[in-house]
Amino acid sequence: MVTLLVPTYLLLTLLLPPPTTPSKTPLLSLDFPDPCIIQDAPSGTWYAFATGGWWTPPPPTNNTTTTTNSTPAADKATYKNIQAASAPSPRGPWTYLPSANPLPSPGVWATSTQTWAPSLIQLNSSSYVLYYAAQLAAGNHSSSSSSYHCIGAATSSSGSILGPYTPLPEPVICPLEKGGAIDPAGFLDPATGRRYLVYKVDGNAMGAGGECNNGVEPFQRTPIVLQEVDRGDGGGLGGGGVEVFDRDGGPEGVDGPLVEAPDLFFFTTTTTAVGRGEGGEESGEGGRYVLFYSNHCWDGPGYSVNYAVAEGNVTGPYKRRTERLIGTGDGFNVTAPGGAASVPGGRWMVFHGDCPQGRCLFGAEMEVMGDAVVVS
Ligand SMILES: *[C@@H]1O[C@H](CO)[C@@H](O)[C@H](O)[C@H]1NC(C)=O
Ligand SMILES: *[C@@H]1O[C@H](CO)[C@@H](O)[C@H](O)[C@H]1NC(C)=O
Ligand SMILES: *[C@@H]1O[C@H](CO)[C@@H](O)[C@H](O)[C@H]1NC(C)=O
Ligand SMILES: *[C@@H]1O[C@H](CO)[C@@H](O)[C@H](O)[C@H]1NC(C)=O
Ligand SMILES: *[C@@H]1O[C@H](CO)[C@@H](O)[C@H](O)[C@H]1NC(C)=O
Ligand SMILES: *[C@@H]1O[C@H](CO)[C@@H](O)[C@H](O)[C@H]1NC(C)=O
């Protein structure tokens, strides 16, 4: 009985099915929601940007003999409209950039405390565009739309990916009659060279209450819209927007009150993800488009990462996958995961999930198998 000599742990390793996906720990243990990720072409450094928040310096260590009663000036918490972090590789290690302030002002049309869900695209070696959602400033809205958000664009031609970005004087997308718009994500279609902005119509901002303000009738629509943007500067809009995705039903549907946080990537049917980056020349016929989205409400355990797939055309139709990609209670052990963004070139994605600090940055390996996205 040779097997009796095999240590139990080895026997278990041989006989048990492979372990389920390991639980995840944050890449950054800070409040860093709705992330996007991009590699800076000149330097090769990776950057992640997130919804605005307070940066609080770590408490000073009493390492030295200094026992002065003064608090260092750098000890002050500072608010960033958009937060930034960097890493040598998408997998990390990630470092928060306390001195970066990519968007000092969200524009005259917006308030400065509600800047959400940045998305960054690189136009050429020295020019970037930052999309974001921001709340309308007083005087720019009627009382009924006072909490609505619209989508702005800001440009940096300083050559630095960290900006500072200068906002356009007007929002680029602002459907106030539908509740406004949030969650922009830029996308360069490798198959056609066209640039797009995908975003969520924020219907629940004008909802009647309940889960994320859209859990009771009358239910408001929260479709995902694809809008072509100018190839040259990413700011001007070309052609009309098309609704490419919508949620499944009211509170009884699988999506609950909303779908949001769209993000697009492209892969060829050879299962090679080529992402939204510039390296898409190998694309062409047979490409597929993956639309990541989140559903349910960000502040509850129902929030999750899901996706839909379109064959050969960025405008769809997008067919939803019924299984969640990442959700509370699965092997990742992340509560309320959402806001996923893929890395150009594929194979890695970032998202946020609950943590003691708020919503922290997480990441996962990502593979395309057939028409399915697999994370680990
Ligand atoms: C720093 O000094 C304070 C006050 O003397 C003390 O309570 C605290 O434990 C010290 N912290 C460390 C990390 O040594
Ligand atoms: C603590 O003091 C040592 C020796 O002076 C120094 O090398 C180290 O950098 C200090 N650490 C911190 C966190 O200040
Ligand atoms: C918002 O208000 C500012 C300041 O009054 C004004 O300059 C700007 O044109 C307004 N924008 C919109 C979109 O109404
Ligand atoms: C980069 O794009 C910006 C915006 O379209 C343009 O103004 C600039 O001339 C471009 N620079 C180069 C080097 O192509
Ligand atoms: C994608 O579909 C739209 C709408 O049907 C159509 O106008 C367009 O030509 C298609 N694009 C490609 C690349 O097939
Ligand atoms: C799941 O996450 C919780 C909270 O972070 C932690 O306490 C627990 O140990 C984790 N479980 C596993 C199996 O990693």
Short mmCIF file of all heavy atoms in Angstrom, two decimals, residues 93-141:
data_model
loop_
_atom_site.label_atom_id
_atom_site.label_comp_id
_atom_site.label_asym_id
_atom_site.label_seq_id
_atom_site.Cartn_x
_atom_site.Cartn_y
_atom_site.Cartn_z
N PRO A 93 3.55 46.40 -6.86
CA PRO A 93 2.85 46.97 -5.70
C PRO A 93 2.36 48.40 -5.99
O PRO A 93 3.07 49.18 -6.63
CB PRO A 93 3.93 46.99 -4.61
CG PRO A 93 5.23 47.05 -5.36
CD PRO A 93 5.01 46.29 -6.64
N TRP A 94 1.15 48.70 -5.51
CA TRP A 94 0.53 50.00 -5.75
C TRP A 94 0.87 50.97 -4.63
O TRP A 94 0.86 50.61 -3.46
CB TRP A 94 -0.98 49.84 -5.87
CG TRP A 94 -1.35 49.27 -7.22
CD1 TRP A 94 -1.53 47.95 -7.53
CD2 TRP A 94 -1.52 50.01 -8.43
NE1 TRP A 94 -1.82 47.83 -8.87
CE2 TRP A 94 -1.82 49.07 -9.45
CE3 TRP A 94 -1.46 51.37 -8.75
CZ2 TRP A 94 -2.05 49.46 -10.77
CZ3 TRP A 94 -1.70 51.74 -10.06
CH2 TRP A 94 -1.98 50.80 -11.06
N THR A 95 1.17 52.19 -5.02
CA THR A 95 1.50 53.25 -4.07
C THR A 95 0.56 54.43 -4.29
O THR A 95 0.44 54.92 -5.42
CB THR A 95 2.95 53.74 -4.28
OG1 THR A 95 3.82 52.61 -4.25
CG2 THR A 95 3.35 54.73 -3.21
N TYR A 96 -0.12 54.85 -3.24
CA TYR A 96 -0.96 56.05 -3.34
C TYR A 96 -0.07 57.27 -3.55
O TYR A 96 1.03 57.34 -2.99
CB TYR A 96 -1.78 56.22 -2.06
CG TYR A 96 -2.82 57.30 -2.14
CD1 TYR A 96 -4.06 57.06 -2.72
CD2 TYR A 96 -2.58 58.58 -1.63
CE1 TYR A 96 -5.02 58.05 -2.81
CE2 TYR A 96 -3.54 59.58 -1.70
CZ TYR A 96 -4.76 59.31 -2.29
OH TYR A 96 -5.71 60.30 -2.37
N LEU A 97 -0.51 58.21 -4.37
CA LEU A 97 0.29 59.40 -4.67
C LEU A 97 -0.30 60.60 -3.93
O LEU A 97 -1.17 61.30 -4.45
CB LEU A 97 0.32 59.64 -6.17
CG LEU A 97 0.93 58.49 -7.00
CD1 LEU A 97 0.78 58.74 -8.49
CD2 LEU A 97 2.39 58.28 -6.64
N PRO A 98 0.15 60.84 -2.69
CA PRO A 98 -0.47 61.89 -1.89
C PRO A 98 -0.30 63.29 -2.46
O PRO A 98 -1.13 64.17 -2.21
CB PRO A 98 0.22 61.76 -0.52
CG PRO A 98 1.43 60.95 -0.74
CD PRO A 98 1.22 60.13 -1.98
N SER A 99 0.75 63.51 -3.23
CA SER A 99 0.96 64.86 -3.74
C SER A 99 0.30 65.08 -5.10
O SER A 99 0.28 66.20 -5.61
CB SER A 99 2.46 65.17 -3.83
OG SER A 99 3.06 64.25 -4.70
N ALA A 100 -0.25 64.02 -5.70
CA ALA A 100 -0.92 64.18 -6.99
C ALA A 100 -2.31 64.76 -6.80
O ALA A 100 -3.04 64.37 -5.88
CB ALA A 100 -1.01 62.84 -7.70
N ASN A 101 -2.67 65.69 -7.66
CA ASN A 101 -4.02 66.27 -7.63
C ASN A 101 -4.43 66.50 -9.09
O ASN A 101 -4.38 67.61 -9.60
CB ASN A 101 -4.01 67.59 -6.84
CG ASN A 101 -5.41 68.08 -6.55
OD1 ASN A 101 -6.40 67.36 -6.78
ND2 ASN A 101 -5.52 69.31 -6.06
N PRO A 102 -4.81 65.40 -9.78
CA PRO A 102 -4.97 65.46 -11.23
C PRO A 102 -6.03 66.46 -11.70
O PRO A 102 -5.89 67.05 -12.77
CB PRO A 102 -5.39 64.03 -11.60
CG PRO A 102 -4.96 63.18 -10.46
CD PRO A 102 -5.02 64.05 -9.24
N LEU A 103 -7.09 66.64 -10.90
CA LEU A 103 -8.19 67.51 -11.33
C LEU A 103 -8.50 68.52 -10.23
O LEU A 103 -9.44 68.34 -9.47
CB LEU A 103 -9.43 66.66 -11.66
CG LEU A 103 -10.60 67.37 -12.34
CD1 LEU A 103 -10.23 67.84 -13.75
CD2 LEU A 103 -11.83 66.47 -12.38
N PRO A 104 -7.70 69.57 -10.14
CA PRO A 104 -7.89 70.54 -9.05
C PRO A 104 -9.29 71.15 -9.06
O PRO A 104 -9.84 71.46 -8.01
CB PRO A 104 -6.83 71.60 -9.31
CG PRO A 104 -5.80 70.92 -10.16
CD PRO A 104 -6.54 69.92 -10.98
N SER A 105 -9.87 71.33 -10.27
CA SER A 105 -11.24 71.84 -10.37
C SER A 105 -12.00 71.01 -11.39
O SER A 105 -11.49 70.74 -12.47
CB SER A 105 -11.24 73.29 -10.83
OG SER A 105 -12.52 73.63 -11.34
N PRO A 106 -13.23 70.58 -11.07
CA PRO A 106 -14.00 69.79 -12.05
C PRO A 106 -14.68 70.66 -13.09
O PRO A 106 -15.39 70.13 -13.96
CB PRO A 106 -15.02 69.06 -11.17
CG PRO A 106 -15.21 69.96 -10.00
CD PRO A 106 -13.89 70.66 -9.77
N GLY A 107 -14.49 71.98 -13.04
CA GLY A 107 -15.11 72.86 -14.04
C GLY A 107 -16.15 73.77 -13.42
O GLY A 107 -16.70 73.46 -12.36
N VAL A 108 -16.43 74.88 -14.10
CA VAL A 108 -17.36 75.86 -13.54
C VAL A 108 -18.77 75.29 -13.41
O VAL A 108 -19.57 75.79 -12.62
CB VAL A 108 -17.42 77.16 -14.38
CG1 VAL A 108 -16.14 77.95 -14.26
CG2 VAL A 108 -17.74 76.85 -15.83
N TRP A 109 -19.05 74.25 -14.15
CA TRP A 109 -20.42 73.70 -14.12
C TRP A 109 -20.66 72.77 -12.95
O TRP A 109 -21.78 72.32 -12.73
CB TRP A 109 -20.72 72.98 -15.44
CG TRP A 109 -19.77 71.83 -15.73
CD1 TRP A 109 -18.57 71.89 -16.39
CD2 TRP A 109 -19.96 70.45 -15.35
NE1 TRP A 109 -18.00 70.63 -16.44
CE2 TRP A 109 -18.83 69.74 -15.82
CE3 TRP A 109 -20.97 69.75 -14.67
CZ2 TRP A 109 -18.68 68.36 -15.62
CZ3 TRP A 109 -20.82 68.38 -14.48
CH2 TRP A 109 -19.68 67.71 -14.96
N ALA A 110 -19.59 72.44 -12.20
CA ALA A 110 -19.70 71.36 -11.22
C ALA A 110 -19.31 71.80 -9.81
O ALA A 110 -18.55 72.75 -9.63
CB ALA A 110 -18.81 70.20 -11.65
N THR A 111 -19.81 71.07 -8.82
CA THR A 111 -19.34 71.24 -7.46
C THR A 111 -18.04 70.46 -7.29
O THR A 111 -17.68 69.65 -8.13
CB THR A 111 -20.34 70.69 -6.43
OG1 THR A 111 -20.43 69.28 -6.60
CG2 THR A 111 -21.71 71.31 -6.59
N SER A 112 -17.39 70.68 -6.17
CA SER A 112 -16.07 70.07 -5.99
C SER A 112 -16.04 68.93 -5.01
O SER A 112 -14.99 68.50 -4.58
CB SER A 112 -15.05 71.13 -5.54
OG SER A 112 -14.29 71.53 -6.64
N THR A 113 -17.19 68.41 -4.63
CA THR A 113 -17.16 67.37 -3.60
C THR A 113 -17.72 66.05 -4.09
O THR A 113 -17.79 65.10 -3.33
CB THR A 113 -17.98 67.80 -2.38
OG1 THR A 113 -19.30 68.11 -2.83
CG2 THR A 113 -17.36 69.00 -1.71
N GLN A 114 -18.11 65.97 -5.35
CA GLN A 114 -18.83 64.79 -5.83
C GLN A 114 -18.29 64.40 -7.20
O GLN A 114 -19.05 64.28 -8.16
CB GLN A 114 -20.32 65.11 -5.94
CG GLN A 114 -21.00 65.34 -4.61
CD GLN A 114 -21.42 64.03 -3.97
OE1 GLN A 114 -21.84 63.10 -4.65
NE2 GLN A 114 -21.28 63.93 -2.67
N THR A 115 -16.98 64.26 -7.30
CA THR A 115 -16.38 63.92 -8.59
C THR A 115 -16.08 62.42 -8.59
O THR A 115 -15.34 61.93 -7.74
CB THR A 115 -15.09 64.74 -8.80
OG1 THR A 115 -15.36 66.09 -8.44
CG2 THR A 115 -14.66 64.68 -10.24
N TRP A 116 -16.67 61.74 -9.54
CA TRP A 116 -16.71 60.27 -9.48
C TRP A 116 -16.11 59.63 -10.72
O TRP A 116 -16.14 60.18 -11.83
CB TRP A 116 -18.17 59.80 -9.41
CG TRP A 116 -18.93 60.19 -8.19
CD1 TRP A 116 -18.45 60.72 -7.02
CD2 TRP A 116 -20.36 60.09 -8.01
NE1 TRP A 116 -19.49 60.94 -6.14
CE2 TRP A 116 -20.66 60.57 -6.72
CE3 TRP A 116 -21.41 59.64 -8.82
CZ2 TRP A 116 -21.98 60.60 -6.23
CZ3 TRP A 116 -22.70 59.67 -8.33
CH2 TRP A 116 -22.98 60.15 -7.05
N ALA A 117 -15.66 58.39 -10.55
CA ALA A 117 -15.45 57.42 -11.62
C ALA A 117 -14.64 57.94 -12.81
O ALA A 117 -15.13 58.01 -13.93
CB ALA A 117 -16.81 56.90 -12.11
N PRO A 118 -13.38 58.30 -12.59
CA PRO A 118 -12.57 58.81 -13.69
C PRO A 118 -12.23 57.72 -14.71
O PRO A 118 -12.21 56.53 -14.39
CB PRO A 118 -11.29 59.28 -12.99
CG PRO A 118 -11.20 58.41 -11.77
CD PRO A 118 -12.62 58.22 -11.33
N SER A 119 -11.98 58.18 -15.94
CA SER A 119 -11.47 57.28 -16.98
C SER A 119 -10.49 58.08 -17.79
O SER A 119 -10.76 59.21 -18.18
CB SER A 119 -12.62 56.80 -17.86
OG SER A 119 -12.11 56.08 -18.98
N LEU A 120 -9.34 57.49 -18.04
CA LEU A 120 -8.28 58.23 -18.70
C LEU A 120 -7.92 57.61 -20.03
O LEU A 120 -7.80 56.39 -20.12
CB LEU A 120 -7.06 58.19 -17.78
CG LEU A 120 -6.33 59.51 -17.73
CD1 LEU A 120 -6.07 59.86 -16.31
CD2 LEU A 120 -5.06 59.39 -18.49
N ILE A 121 -7.79 58.42 -21.06
CA ILE A 121 -7.29 57.90 -22.32
C ILE A 121 -6.10 58.75 -22.76
O ILE A 121 -6.01 59.93 -22.46
CB ILE A 121 -8.36 57.87 -23.43
CG1 ILE A 121 -8.90 59.27 -23.70
CG2 ILE A 121 -9.49 56.91 -23.08
CD1 ILE A 121 -9.75 59.34 -24.95
N GLN A 122 -5.20 58.09 -23.45
CA GLN A 122 -4.02 58.78 -23.98
C GLN A 122 -4.25 59.01 -25.46
O GLN A 122 -4.52 58.08 -26.22
CB GLN A 122 -2.78 57.93 -23.74
CG GLN A 122 -1.51 58.61 -24.24
CD GLN A 122 -0.25 58.04 -23.61
OE1 GLN A 122 -0.27 56.96 -23.02
NE2 GLN A 122 0.84 58.77 -23.72
N LEU A 123 -4.15 60.27 -25.89
CA LEU A 123 -4.38 60.59 -27.30
C LEU A 123 -3.11 60.42 -28.12
O LEU A 123 -3.13 59.91 -29.24
CB LEU A 123 -4.86 62.03 -27.44
CG LEU A 123 -6.24 62.35 -26.87
CD1 LEU A 123 -6.54 63.82 -27.05
CD2 LEU A 123 -7.31 61.49 -27.54
N ASN A 124 -2.02 60.88 -27.59
CA ASN A 124 -0.72 60.75 -28.26
C ASN A 124 0.35 60.92 -27.19
O ASN A 124 0.04 60.97 -26.00
CB ASN A 124 -0.60 61.77 -29.41
CG ASN A 124 -0.79 63.20 -28.94
OD1 ASN A 124 -0.27 63.58 -27.90
ND2 ASN A 124 -1.53 63.98 -29.71
N SER A 125 1.59 61.02 -27.61
CA SER A 125 2.69 60.94 -26.64
C SER A 125 2.62 62.01 -25.56
O SER A 125 3.19 61.83 -24.49
CB SER A 125 4.02 61.04 -27.38
OG SER A 125 4.08 62.26 -28.08
N SER A 126 1.91 63.09 -25.80
CA SER A 126 1.95 64.17 -24.82
C SER A 126 0.57 64.67 -24.43
O SER A 126 0.45 65.69 -23.75
CB SER A 126 2.78 65.33 -25.35
OG SER A 126 2.19 65.81 -26.55
N SER A 127 -0.47 63.98 -24.81
CA SER A 127 -1.80 64.53 -24.58
C SER A 127 -2.75 63.44 -24.05
O SER A 127 -2.80 62.33 -24.58
CB SER A 127 -2.34 65.10 -25.89
OG SER A 127 -3.48 65.88 -25.65
N TYR A 128 -3.48 63.79 -22.99
CA TYR A 128 -4.40 62.85 -22.35
C TYR A 128 -5.75 63.51 -22.18
O TYR A 128 -5.86 64.73 -22.10
CB TYR A 128 -3.89 62.46 -20.96
CG TYR A 128 -2.50 61.91 -20.93
CD1 TYR A 128 -1.39 62.75 -20.90
CD2 TYR A 128 -2.29 60.53 -20.92
CE1 TYR A 128 -0.11 62.25 -20.87
CE2 TYR A 128 -1.01 60.02 -20.89
CZ TYR A 128 0.07 60.88 -20.86
OH TYR A 128 1.34 60.37 -20.83
N VAL A 129 -6.78 62.68 -22.07
CA VAL A 129 -8.12 63.17 -21.74
C VAL A 129 -8.60 62.41 -20.51
O VAL A 129 -8.46 61.19 -20.42
CB VAL A 129 -9.12 62.97 -22.90
CG1 VAL A 129 -10.52 63.40 -22.47
CG2 VAL A 129 -8.68 63.74 -24.12
N LEU A 130 -9.15 63.15 -19.56
CA LEU A 130 -9.73 62.57 -18.35
C LEU A 130 -11.24 62.79 -18.39
O LEU A 130 -11.69 63.94 -18.48
CB LEU A 130 -9.13 63.27 -17.12
CG LEU A 130 -9.71 62.94 -15.75
CD1 LEU A 130 -9.40 61.50 -15.37
CD2 LEU A 130 -9.15 63.90 -14.71
N TYR A 131 -12.00 61.71 -18.38
CA TYR A 131 -13.45 61.80 -18.25
C TYR A 131 -13.82 61.56 -16.79
O TYR A 131 -13.16 60.78 -16.09
CB TYR A 131 -14.14 60.74 -19.11
CG TYR A 131 -13.90 60.87 -20.59
CD1 TYR A 131 -13.15 59.92 -21.28
CD2 TYR A 131 -14.44 61.93 -21.32
CE1 TYR A 131 -12.93 60.03 -22.65
CE2 TYR A 131 -14.23 62.04 -22.69
CZ TYR A 131 -13.48 61.09 -23.34
OH TYR A 131 -13.26 61.19 -24.69
N TYR A 132 -14.88 62.19 -16.33
CA TYR A 132 -15.31 62.03 -14.94
C TYR A 132 -16.78 62.43 -14.86
O TYR A 132 -17.31 63.10 -15.76
CB TYR A 132 -14.46 62.91 -14.01
CG TYR A 132 -14.49 64.37 -14.39
CD1 TYR A 132 -15.40 65.26 -13.82
CD2 TYR A 132 -13.63 64.87 -15.39
CE1 TYR A 132 -15.45 66.59 -14.21
CE2 TYR A 132 -13.68 66.20 -15.78
CZ TYR A 132 -14.59 67.05 -15.20
OH TYR A 132 -14.65 68.37 -15.60
N ALA A 133 -17.41 62.05 -13.77
CA ALA A 133 -18.77 62.52 -13.49
C ALA A 133 -18.68 63.49 -12.33
O ALA A 133 -17.89 63.28 -11.40
CB ALA A 133 -19.68 61.36 -13.12
N ALA A 134 -19.44 64.58 -12.41
CA ALA A 134 -19.45 65.54 -11.31
C ALA A 134 -20.85 66.08 -11.12
O ALA A 134 -21.67 66.09 -12.04
CB ALA A 134 -18.46 66.68 -11.58
N GLN A 135 -21.09 66.52 -9.89
CA GLN A 135 -22.42 67.04 -9.55
C GLN A 135 -22.56 68.48 -10.02
O GLN A 135 -21.62 69.27 -9.92
CB GLN A 135 -22.63 66.96 -8.04
CG GLN A 135 -24.04 67.25 -7.61
CD GLN A 135 -24.24 67.04 -6.13
OE1 GLN A 135 -23.47 66.32 -5.49
NE2 GLN A 135 -25.25 67.65 -5.58
N LEU A 136 -23.73 68.80 -10.53
CA LEU A 136 -23.95 70.14 -11.05
C LEU A 136 -23.81 71.18 -9.95
O LEU A 136 -24.26 70.98 -8.83
CB LEU A 136 -25.36 70.24 -11.65
CG LEU A 136 -25.61 69.38 -12.87
CD1 LEU A 136 -27.07 69.51 -13.30
CD2 LEU A 136 -24.70 69.79 -14.01
N ALA A 137 -23.19 72.30 -10.31
CA ALA A 137 -23.02 73.39 -9.36
C ALA A 137 -24.35 74.11 -9.15
O ALA A 137 -25.22 74.10 -10.02
CB ALA A 137 -21.98 74.37 -9.88
N ALA A 138 -24.48 74.72 -8.00
CA ALA A 138 -25.65 75.55 -7.75
C ALA A 138 -25.72 76.61 -8.84
O ALA A 138 -24.70 77.15 -9.25
CB ALA A 138 -25.54 76.20 -6.38
N GLY A 139 -26.90 76.89 -9.32
CA GLY A 139 -27.03 77.87 -10.40
C GLY A 139 -27.00 77.21 -11.76
O GLY A 139 -27.34 77.83 -12.76
N ASN A 140 -26.58 75.95 -11.81
CA ASN A 140 -26.55 75.24 -13.08
C ASN A 140 -27.66 74.20 -13.16
O ASN A 140 -27.63 73.34 -14.03
CB ASN A 140 -25.21 74.52 -13.30
CG ASN A 140 -24.12 75.50 -13.68
OD1 ASN A 140 -23.74 76.33 -12.90
ND2 ASN A 140 -23.65 75.40 -14.91
N HIS A 141 -28.59 74.27 -12.24
CA HIS A 141 -29.64 73.25 -12.26
C HIS A 141 -30.91 73.82 -11.65
O HIS A 141 -30.87 74.78 -10.88
CB HIS A 141 -29.19 72.02 -11.47
CG HIS A 141 -28.79 72.35 -10.05
ND1 HIS A 141 -29.69 72.68 -9.08
CD2 HIS A 141 -27.57 72.44 -9.49
CE1 HIS A 141 -29.05 72.94 -7.96
NE2 HIS A 141 -27.75 72.81 -8.18
#
